[in-house]
Amino acid sequence: MNKFEMVDVALTDMLVEQEDFLINALKNCADNDIPAIEVSPSQGKFLSLLTKTSRSKRILEIGTLGGYSTLWFAKGAGFDSEIVTLELEEENAKIAQQNFDQSPYKSNITIMVNEAEQSLKELVLNQTRSFDLIFLDADKNNNPLYLEYALQLSKEGTIIIADNIIRDGEILNTTSEDERVIGIQKYLERLTEIENVDSVAVETIGIKGIDGFSMSVVNKM
Ligand code: DHB
Ligand code: MG
């Protein structure tokens, strides 16, 4: 382990006590060969505390994977919350549903299995109530598209967070041909163009390498 990873592990040991349903979710993901690209425990707890302090109750997550971050959101939002999480892969959704079923938040979480764009269209068409917090953590090439839907599903005060917006610093590479990097570059550019969002991005370093997330708050719609 390098120094940054050691510090992350030490801080997580000190401050992040994970309940069994979170630990078991990670184990179930590993046992079923889900790639270990979920948020770290400290990032998960950060998202959970942010959810709690912002009193966010309706959460939309784009990209469920095995549901680990979903469970941290649920913990922060509480038993009177509604969490909708979008996943393309049936196999991931199956494991995620198992993890939700084994948690106290089973009845708070709904997975929509489809291409995220189709699920987002459906949510917009059905005039679903706006969300308090939206987490973008799916195929990064589509981040600009997901942002447009996220805004349609927002209200004044909605928090929009995008994961993995640093990618080991690759976002500075203006000649990158990686569609994920290009998607994030366009996403950040779009944030500068939209007038009613106020945004910041934070670089993170730890057991998930060098990466980061952006946070945007929607002002008047
Ligand atoms: C990748 C995706 C993620 O959401 C993440 O947190 C880390 C890596 C990836 O696609 O490589
Ligand atoms: Mg991610």
Side-chain angles (χ1 to χ4, degrees):
M1 261 198 284
N2 66 35
K3 190 189 269 186
F4 306 117
E5 291 164 336
M6 281 163 57
V7 170
D8 193 3
V9 168
L11 293 173
T12 302
D13 283 349
M14 265 193 271
L15 301 173
V16 183
E17 196 177 346
Q18 299 189 76
E19 284 150 275
D20 285 347
F21 70 89
L22 288 163
I23 294 169
N24 293 341
L26 280 183
K27 183 169 185 312
N28 194 30
C29 288
D31 289 349
N32 286 283
D33 298 323
I34 292 195
I37 55 170
E38 73 287 332
V39 298
S40 71
S42 287
Q43 289 166 347
K45 183 162 181 184
F46 179 86
L47 293 171
S48 193
L49 291 179
L50 180 70
T51 303
K52 187 174 178 180
T53 52
S54 61
R55 297 186 170 80
S56 297
K57 294 291 172 191
R58 276 182 57 77
I59 318 260
L60 173 63
E61 177 178 64
I62 307 174
T64 314
L65 196 69
Y68 180 67
S69 49
T70 327
L71 287 169
W72 274 114
F73 282 117
K75 182 173 159 58
F79 293 113
D80 57 344
S81 66
E82 287 175 289
I83 310 204
V84 178
T85 183
L86 315 185
E87 177 56 44
L88 171 63
E89 305 289 344
E90 300 255 2
E91 183 60 22
N92 292 349
K94 190 183 99 187
I95 303 302
Q97 189 62 58
Q98 289 171 2
N99 293 335
F100 302 155
D101 289 346
Q102 315 260 317
S103 83
Y105 301 101
K106 174 184 174 171
S107 58
N108 301 96
I109 306 171
T110 306
I111 313 181
M112 295 174 77
V113 186
N114 203 340
E115 283 181 15
E117 187 181 4
Q118 294 310 314
S119 296
L120 289 164
K121 269 190 190 151
E122 201 177 312
L123 289 169
V124 170
L125 278 175
N126 291 344
Q127 298 185 307
T128 189
R129 247 183 338 116
S130 55
F131 291 91
D132 303 315
L133 191 152
I134 301 175
F135 185 53
L136 274 67
D137 195 17
D139 44 334
K140 311 305 183 247
N141 53 309
N142 277 321
N143 265 25
L145 177 71
Y146 298 154
L147 176 61
E148 299 312 317
Y149 282 102
L151 290 168
Q152 289 183 57
L153 294 163
S154 292
K155 61 184 165 51
E156 186 176 359
T158 294
I159 300 167
I160 302 174
I161 300 173
D163 194 27
N164 312 113
I165 57 118
I166 304 288
R167 304 203 77 94
D168 205 18
E170 266 305 287
I171 52 151
L172 295 186
N173 180 359
T174 51
T175 57
S176 176
E177 290 177 5
D178 183 332
E179 290 297 325
R180 296 169 300 183
V181 172
I182 295 167
I184 292 159
Q185 289 167 334
K186 286 188 178 153
Y187 179 82
L188 293 170
E189 193 181 316
R190 194 74 193 104
L191 289 182
T192 69
E193 294 165 355
I194 303 167
E195 287 194 352
N196 67 332
V197 298
D198 200 10
S199 303
V200 70
V202 175
E203 190 172 27
T204 57
I205 190 162
I207 59 168
K208 300 285 171 175
I210 301 171
D211 214 326
F213 54 88
S214 66
M215 180 171 102
S216 307
V217 179
V218 178
N219 296 322
K220 280 212 170 10
M221 297 298 289

